[in-house]
Each structure stands twice: as structure tokens, then as C-alpha cells.
Amino acid sequence: MTNVAKSEKVMTAPAKKKDYGDPIVSVRGLKKHFPIKSGLIFQRETAAVKAVDGLDFDIFRGETLGLVGESGCGKSTTGRTILQLHRATSGTVNFEGTELTTLKGNSLREMRRKMQIIFQDPYASLNPRMSISRIISEPLVVHGIGSERDRQKRVEELLERVGLNPFFANRYPHEFSGGQRQRIGVARALALEPSFIVCDEPISALDVSIQAQVVNLLQDLQRDMGLTYLFIAHDLSMVRHICDRVAVMYLGKIVEMAESEELYTNPLHPYTQALLSAVPVPDPDVEENRQRIILKGDLPSPANPPVGCNFNTRCPVAIDVCFDWDPELIEVLPGHWVACHRVT
Amino acid sequence: MTASKPISLKDEGLEQKKRSTPMGDALRQFRRNKMAVVAFFIITFFIFMAVTASLWSNISFLDAPKGFKARHTINPAGLDRVDPYAEPGHCARDGLDQGKAWCALLTEEQRARFPNSCRVEIPDPNQRQWCYILGSDGGGKDWMTQTVYGAQVSLAVAFVGSSVSLLLGLVYGMVSGFYGGRIDNVMMRFVDFLYGIPGLVIIIIMQVYFREISSKYEDSSGIVGFIVEINKDLGGLFFLFIALGLLSWIGTARLARGQVLSYREKEFVEAARAVGARDRRIIFVHLLPNIIGPLLVAETLAIPGYIFAEAFLSYIGLGVQPGTPSWGEMISRAGQEGGFYSNRHMIYVPSAALVMLTLAFNFFGDGLRDALDPRLRGR
Ligand SMILES: Nc1ncnc2c1ncn2[C@@H]1O[C@H](COP(=O)(O)OP(=O)(O)OP(=O)(O)O)[C@@H](O)[C@H]1O
Ligand code: SF4
Ligand SMILES: [Mg+2]
């Protein structure tokens, strides 16, 4: 069974699971290139790491969009560029009708109340010199919200909301475990009551036993507060149950995007198929017949991506046109987008 | 919904642990290093001596019934020359030459038996008696008092050197690391350039130059004359501070920049940016408290270097001005005024002080490093 045969076989319209409203975030042609400089005193830009190289997608209000890909493919850069923690090289990010890439100073600061981020490393994401209560109240201090007493009350509420005892508000981060620290990070992100949160691999650094707790917490919060998530992960199996839709990234580009059930049952892009073939299946019969697609070669450098389809160096089904033309991301089935010459 | 339920105290395992703050942990860690604690007290002792030096020369602090009254001035008024050197422990009454040093060890009756060596007149017991606890120099100036005044110089150099270095280096390094890019590149090339220059040679050349200025503008008015005046009042220390401070910040700047670079990309800094914190807040709330520890440690460990530099410059006559006692200058004088064999105390006393103080700063710096090391925290 070749990949192409497989993709032809199941090209039927998927049932849409969820009714999507209006997009809360619209990303168009987003690029983020990090310049590589050289020269002793007068440095010139000699090359660029194309960490994010042309993204188009929407995130709908109330959904969880998964962003999946190998390490170094630009997932974190995407999240940070949307939040304007990195300024985009080109392209636009529209958030609730406001264009973010051109915002500066106070108007950008005002927008930051609505979008927040949760980090991967629970140890690096909390300032070791600040008490928990100072960490969580910092967003309120920065925006001048409430009196000192109001803030303390809010900190206690937030701690309780993320499942921590408010009694420990005056302790320092090093006294908490990884899972507890991650909850503190969540509380900080919630302090300004945002509508959109980028979760940058929030559970990858945690023990398996604690991962489920944090995921449950995030899902509870989403339901209660109507949050929208961009959920970054490096592993497809992890996001299946968390996300409504999943986008697969490779070398700074989205290669496939669909509702998660659709993506898992009907992967069309050869890269997605390869990733999924590495995921063990619970059903023993299916597991026995599961064929691993081993990708040859390494991930090319984002400073020097291949010409044509950037997957062509490792693609098992590449054809001539793949080395000349970069495939566009096209909606081949309703809500199912793929960038591959063999599919479109 | 289990995830959202507040976890009981037991589950979090926090209530058994001792309350722990970064400051408290650091103090606890420091106290564990016995050498560092001893060093701390030695440094405190030297600081006490230096601060109270002028009191010592005017107020008697020992008044034994036998008339032993130790008072220290650099040259006790009315005391005749004690030739050639008073050994440690030598005492003399005001207005009297006690003759040979061993006379001091005799009782007054015994002394009367050696009229040629020790004067026969029985000193008036109501007269003040001076004791050279650590001997004197060839001019009859108390060596201990001079050592105490020398501590003033060494400690002043230690604190001014490290403060100037910390302040300049911190600001320079933080600006360079925080703003990065072209600014960083230009600023760091300049530091690299300075780093390549042998520091002591530059300091020596500068001191020679300052000497010249001092003598040329001695009595002139205007800003240069004013500075020369200040320098004279400080016994030549002002120009020494400038010379030491001008180069000492380079290492600090590099360290500060490296620290800023390592913390600038940390996720908690990014979190602060994500909530809209301004640069000022990020620098003073998030970066500074985290990078200051290693800088303080490095600065403490650099203090022996400043002390030695001053001692060396004073030894070769390019440090403090003549008349201002400093350990380096005292050691040099000890060598000139009789060499090692005739008056050992003159060499031993300032050398011992120099070694003790520099070692103390080294051990104190080590203790500080352990105390501020996050890997040892909470143990
Ligand atoms: N500040 C930066 N300066 C230069 N290059 C960068 C910077 N940040 C990221 N990169 C580069 O951009 C590429 C994408 O990095 P990014 O952190 O977005 O990857 P990622 O998909 O999040 O990987 P991971 O799963 O390891 O977190 C990498 O090659 C990385 O080296
Ligand atoms: S476009 Fe070509 S190289 Fe790229 S994934 Fe499709 S088949 Fe492979
Ligand atoms: Mg990442």
C-alpha cells in the first residue's frame, strides 16, 4: 500500500465536528527570519534562518488548534511571532480585528491583556527571585490594575483556580514541583483574563502522571472562561485528544491542517503519514500491520532550505515537479488543507 | 475536575519544609563555610581598626596600675628619638630616652645599676608612658599605628576599586548585553581592545603622568588645581583610584554582559514581555536581581588584586604620597631602613596584615559564591 494509493482511497468528505465561529486570530503570509551576521566590527547580514517561512491559517474562537512538528521546525517562533514577542519579518497577524504587526508601545501593551503564553520549561519560566504572589500579580502591576489588596485577593483566587493552595502565595518557586510550577505559570497567564493563550509545549517537560492533570486543568479553564488555545507539541499522539484541529509544520511551513480526527484517520501529506506511522496504535491487529515509514536523511537547515517543496530531500514519493515548485497549501477537502504536489 | 481542587497541605509536601527564601537560604549556606565566617570577622576587624584609627592615636585604651598606658600617635609628642628602632613591646616615658631597648625590661632599681647604658634618673611615674606594642620605625614612629593607617588605605582601595568596577562594569555590560546588535558589537570590541593592554603598565604610566601634573599644578587654581588639592588631601589616593578604576571594570563588563545574555532569553523574561512589562522593569526587576550575585562574588574575589596593586605601586613609590603610611610603602621603607635582619618587625607587621586581609577577602568571596550558588540552595 503506497502512500499515494492510501490518500486516493479515502478522499471522501469528512464530517465537520464543530461549528467554527469567526476567527480570533488570522495569520497571513507570516515570515520570521533571524539574520545571521558576520564581520568583525561592521557586521553585515550574510544569511538568515528562515524559522517561519510563510504561514496562512486562522484560529477560531473557543477552539484548540494544535501545532505539531519536529524540534526546530519553527513552532515556538510561530507562537511568539503571533504574540509579537518576535516582530514578524513580513506578513500580517490579525487579532480580533486589530492588526498586530504594526502596533507599538501602549496600544500593543493594551492588546497584550488579551493574549498570553504558557511555557514549556516550568523551571525557567518563573523568576527565582520573586515570590509566587509577586509573579502572579506582575501582570496586574504592569497594567496598573487594582490596589495592592485587590491584587493579593486576585492572586489567591487565581491560585485556587489552578488548583494550588493560596496559603503558599509568599513562597518562592524553588519550593514547588514541576507540575505545581506549571500551574503557577497558568495562573500568571490568566491574571489579565485573556481570550487567547499560546501553550508552548506546556506538558512536554512534565512527568507522564502529571501531564493529564495539567491538560485537564487547561480544558476546564477553556470551558469555563471560553479560552482559545494555540497548543504547540512536538508529538502527534499527544495532541489528538486535546485539539479540535491540528496543523503540521515542517521547516517553517504548514504542510497539512485538518480537524484532528480527520488528520489521524486520513493523513494526506507524506510527512504527516510518516509521523503517524511512528505512533503506536492501541488495536493489536492494526498495530501488527502498522508499517513504519522511516524518513531518510536529516532535517535540512532552516538557513538553507531545499529548492521546491522543502520536504523533497526526505520525501519517499517525490516527483520531478517537487524539485522545481513549492506546493501551495490548498483546501483539498472541506477544512482539510494540504501542501503537496502528489495530493492536489 | 480533580485537577482544579485545591491540593491539601500534605499533598504538596510543603508544610514539612522549612520556610525558605533566597536570602535566608544564602545566609544559611554562608554560615556553613567556617573559613568564610572567620574571614568575615577578620575583614570586620580590619574595618573597625581603619575606621577608629584616629581615635587610637589620641585616646588611651590601656591604663594598667603600673603606669602602662599605651597611646599611639605616629610620632608621640615629646618623645625623644629612640635609636635606632624600638622593638615590639618597648616602652618609654614622656620626655625621657630609655636608652637601649633592653633597659625597658629592667626594674627601676636594676636600671640604676647601669648608669651608662640606662639613665640613672628615675622617671617620674606620673609621666605618661608610651609603649610600642609592635615596635617603631627608625624615626620613633609607632609601627602599629602606621599599620592601622595602612589598613585605611588598603580598605579604601578595596572598596572604591570594587565599587567603581562594579558600577561601571555593570552599566556598561548590561547596556551592551541588553540592547545587543550593533551597540553590543561596538562596545565589546572596545572592551576587547582594553583587555589586550597590560593593565599594570598602563597604571604605572598614568601614575607617573599624574605625579607630573601634581607637581606642576601644585598651587594653581582652577579645576586641575582643585583635583590636585583633593589628591593631596587624600595622600595621593585620588589618582590611584582613577588609575585602578579605569581598567578594573573591563572584566566586570564582560561578566555582566554574559549574565544578561544568558538571562535575557529566559522564559520568565519573555513572560514579563508578554504581559507588557517595559524595559526598565525587565532590567531592574528581572535581570538585575538575578545577575548581581555572580558579579558581587567576582568583585569580592578581585579585591585582593586591588589591594596588591596599591601595595605594589606604593612599594615602587608610585602609589600613595610620601608621609601617608600604606602597607606597600611600609614594606619598602622597612627594606630601605635596615634590611631584613636588623629590624624584622618592620617587615613582618605590614606583610602579615597584607596577607591576612587579602586571604580573608578570598575566603569571604568563596563563601559568598557558595551562598549564592543556586545549585546549593535549600540544602
Ligand atoms: N532568537 C533566535 N535567533 C536565531 N535563530 C533562532 C532564534 N530563535 C529560534 N531560532 C531558530 O529558528 C528555528 C526554529 O526554532 P523554534 O524554537 O521555533 O523551533 P521549535 O519548533 O519550537 O523547536 P522545539 O521543539 O525544539 O521547541 C531553529 O532553527 C532555531 O535555531
Ligand atoms: S510536494 Fe513532492 S516532495 Fe513535497 S511532500 Fe509532496 S510529494 Fe513529497
Ligand atoms: Mg519550541
Side-chain angles (χ1 to χ4, degrees), chain B residues 3-16:
Chain B
S4 305
K5 236 189 282 163
I7 294 168
S8 78
L9 304 192
K10 278 239 157 47
D11 293 342
E12 294 189 45
L14 275 170
E15 99 284 11
Q16 289 102 336

mmCIF file of all heavy atoms in Angstrom, chain B residues 3-16:
data_model
loop_
_atom_site.group_PDB
_atom_site.id
_atom_site.type_symbol
_atom_site.label_atom_id
_atom_site.label_comp_id
_atom_site.label_asym_id
_atom_site.label_seq_id
_atom_site.Cartn_x
_atom_site.Cartn_y
_atom_site.Cartn_z
ATOM 1 N N ALA B 3 -8.483 18.125 39.017
ATOM 2 C CA ALA B 3 -7.323 18.990 38.812
ATOM 3 C C ALA B 3 -7.516 20.360 39.443
ATOM 4 O O ALA B 3 -6.559 21.003 39.836
ATOM 5 C CB ALA B 3 -7.057 19.148 37.331
ATOM 6 N N SER B 4 -8.757 20.790 39.534
ATOM 7 C CA SER B 4 -8.972 22.158 39.995
ATOM 8 C C SER B 4 -9.187 22.257 41.495
ATOM 9 O O SER B 4 -9.310 23.342 42.032
ATOM 10 C CB SER B 4 -10.167 22.764 39.273
ATOM 11 O OG SER B 4 -9.953 22.670 37.902
ATOM 12 N N LYS B 5 -9.262 21.101 42.153
ATOM 13 C CA LYS B 5 -9.467 21.150 43.597
ATOM 14 C C LYS B 5 -8.187 21.589 44.286
ATOM 15 O O LYS B 5 -7.109 21.142 43.928
ATOM 16 C CB LYS B 5 -9.847 19.756 44.116
ATOM 17 C CG LYS B 5 -11.175 19.767 44.882
ATOM 18 C CD LYS B 5 -11.415 18.432 45.558
ATOM 19 C CE LYS B 5 -11.895 17.389 44.577
ATOM 20 N NZ LYS B 5 -11.756 16.026 45.064
ATOM 21 N N PRO B 6 -8.290 22.487 45.279
ATOM 22 C CA PRO B 6 -7.067 22.865 45.986
ATOM 23 C C PRO B 6 -6.439 21.633 46.617
ATOM 24 O O PRO B 6 -7.139 20.806 47.208
ATOM 25 C CB PRO B 6 -7.564 23.828 47.068
ATOM 26 C CG PRO B 6 -8.869 24.314 46.570
ATOM 27 C CD PRO B 6 -9.456 23.198 45.764
ATOM 28 N N ILE B 7 -5.155 21.530 46.451
ATOM 29 C CA ILE B 7 -4.448 20.377 46.971
ATOM 30 C C ILE B 7 -4.173 20.604 48.449
ATOM 31 O O ILE B 7 -3.842 21.707 48.872
ATOM 32 C CB ILE B 7 -3.142 20.182 46.185
ATOM 33 C CG1 ILE B 7 -3.498 19.811 44.751
ATOM 34 C CG2 ILE B 7 -2.282 19.104 46.803
ATOM 35 C CD1 ILE B 7 -2.331 19.873 43.816
ATOM 36 N N SER B 8 -4.323 19.550 49.235
ATOM 37 C CA SER B 8 -4.143 19.727 50.675
ATOM 38 C C SER B 8 -2.679 19.964 50.991
ATOM 39 O O SER B 8 -1.795 19.667 50.199
ATOM 40 C CB SER B 8 -4.635 18.490 51.419
ATOM 41 O OG SER B 8 -3.650 17.482 51.308
ATOM 42 N N LEU B 9 -2.433 20.494 52.177
ATOM 43 C CA LEU B 9 -1.064 20.817 52.571
ATOM 44 C C LEU B 9 -0.176 19.590 52.477
ATOM 45 O O LEU B 9 0.964 19.656 52.063
ATOM 46 C CB LEU B 9 -1.045 21.343 54.005
ATOM 47 C CG LEU B 9 -1.908 22.550 54.342
ATOM 48 C CD1 LEU B 9 -1.523 23.071 55.711
ATOM 49 C CD2 LEU B 9 -1.757 23.637 53.300
ATOM 50 N N LYS B 10 -0.699 18.462 52.895
ATOM 51 C CA LYS B 10 0.092 17.234 52.913
ATOM 52 C C LYS B 10 0.552 16.870 51.507
ATOM 53 O O LYS B 10 1.686 16.523 51.280
ATOM 54 C CB LYS B 10 -0.748 16.096 53.487
ATOM 55 C CG LYS B 10 -0.770 16.105 54.996
ATOM 56 C CD LYS B 10 -0.228 14.799 55.562
ATOM 57 C CE LYS B 10 0.282 14.991 56.968
ATOM 58 N NZ LYS B 10 -0.653 15.743 57.823
ATOM 59 N N ASP B 11 -0.390 16.974 50.539
ATOM 60 C CA ASP B 11 -0.067 16.575 49.176
ATOM 61 C C ASP B 11 1.104 17.383 48.631
ATOM 62 O O ASP B 11 1.941 16.877 47.914
ATOM 63 C CB ASP B 11 -1.274 16.782 48.250
ATOM 64 C CG ASP B 11 -2.385 15.823 48.614
ATOM 65 O OD1 ASP B 11 -2.081 14.835 49.315
ATOM 66 O OD2 ASP B 11 -3.525 16.060 48.198
ATOM 67 N N GLU B 12 1.108 18.630 48.965
ATOM 68 C CA GLU B 12 2.142 19.465 48.379
ATOM 69 C C GLU B 12 3.475 19.269 49.069
ATOM 70 O O GLU B 12 4.499 19.703 48.576
ATOM 71 C CB GLU B 12 1.732 20.942 48.447
ATOM 72 C CG GLU B 12 0.532 21.202 47.573
ATOM 73 C CD GLU B 12 0.219 22.671 47.444
ATOM 74 O OE1 GLU B 12 1.138 23.458 47.241
ATOM 75 O OE2 GLU B 12 -0.962 23.014 47.552
ATOM 76 N N GLY B 13 3.459 18.607 50.206
ATOM 77 C CA GLY B 13 4.700 18.325 50.886
ATOM 78 C C GLY B 13 5.441 19.583 51.294
ATOM 79 O O GLY B 13 6.640 19.566 51.509
ATOM 80 N N LEU B 14 4.727 20.687 51.356
ATOM 81 C CA LEU B 14 5.412 21.953 51.619
ATOM 82 C C LEU B 14 5.431 22.285 53.100
ATOM 83 O O LEU B 14 6.286 23.008 53.570
ATOM 84 C CB LEU B 14 4.706 23.088 50.873
ATOM 85 C CG LEU B 14 5.135 23.282 49.430
ATOM 86 C CD1 LEU B 14 4.198 24.252 48.750
ATOM 87 C CD2 LEU B 14 6.558 23.759 49.338
ATOM 88 N N GLU B 15 4.445 21.728 53.830
ATOM 89 C CA GLU B 15 4.314 22.206 55.204
ATOM 90 C C GLU B 15 5.405 21.629 56.089
ATOM 91 O O GLU B 15 5.736 22.208 57.108
ATOM 92 C CB GLU B 15 2.900 21.940 55.729
ATOM 93 C CG GLU B 15 2.733 20.717 56.585
ATOM 94 C CD GLU B 15 2.721 19.458 55.742
ATOM 95 O OE1 GLU B 15 3.036 19.482 54.550
ATOM 96 O OE2 GLU B 15 2.397 18.413 56.286
ATOM 97 N N GLN B 16 6.025 20.501 55.649
ATOM 98 C CA GLN B 16 7.117 19.967 56.463
ATOM 99 C C GLN B 16 8.379 20.779 56.263
ATOM 100 O O GLN B 16 9.197 20.909 57.142
ATOM 101 C CB GLN B 16 7.424 18.512 56.079
ATOM 102 C CG GLN B 16 6.346 17.544 56.499
ATOM 103 C CD GLN B 16 5.494 17.163 55.315
ATOM 104 O OE1 GLN B 16 5.406 17.910 54.346
ATOM 105 N NE2 GLN B 16 4.868 16.011 55.384
#
